[in-house]
Amino acid sequence: MKLSQYSDYEKYILVAQNSKVLSGGYQGFVSLKEVLQIIRTMFSKQSTTYEYNQNWYTSKLTINEMGTILNSFDSAHYRKGFDLVKSVASQIAIGKI
């Protein structure tokens, strides 16, 4: 199957197979999508600050680390550095991704 035919959930499952921080369940997928949206926004703005639920946060991720996370998910292939996604999830109190 071509990468373009994978759903986001299928990509999540493929990345979760090698990740130490992803649960692999549907609730984890829903939570990860929320975190990835934050990372995509920061990456597109080339900024490390973001707003979530009317609070402002400063991410510990670098722009390069954000790119690695997004590239890993979008290509459905786990890459070293992907597990840093947990740092944003922890900041906004999303426990299980």
Side-chain angles (χ1 to χ4, degrees):
M1 186 184 319
K2 291 182 181 179
L3 180 61
S4 62
Q5 295 174 312
Y6 287 141
S7 69
D8 282 349
Y9 185 64
E10 289 169 317
K11 291 177 185 178
Y12 171 78
I13 295 298
L14 290 169
V15 174
Q17 290 175 348
N18 295 307
S19 172
K20 294 177 181 164
V21 301
L22 298 183
S23 67
Y26 188 74
Q27 184 57 48
F29 164 70
V30 172
S31 297
L32 179 69
K33 288 289 288 179
E34 194 170 346
V35 172
L36 287 177
Q37 184 56 47
I38 291 168
I39 294 172
R40 283 187 199 287
T41 301
M42 286 191 295
F43 188 73
S44 70
K45 294 179 179 180
Q46 297 289 292
S47 173
T48 58
T49 59
Y50 62 96
E51 182 181 11
Y52 181 77
N53 285 344
Q54 300 176 354
N55 293 311
W56 285 93
Y57 299 91
T58 299
S59 173
K60 296 175 184 174
L61 296 175
T62 66
I63 302 301
N64 284 340
E65 290 168 337
M66 291 178 210
T68 297
I69 291 166
L70 296 174
N71 186 279
S72 180
F73 183 80
D74 292 341
S75 67
H77 182 74
Y78 177 83
R79 288 185 172 78
K80 183 180 176 185
F82 178 84
D83 287 343
L84 293 173
V85 71
K86 184 69 174 170
S87 68
V88 175
S90 295
Q91 271 188 315
I92 59 174
I94 291 181
K96 198 173 202 178
I97 55 174

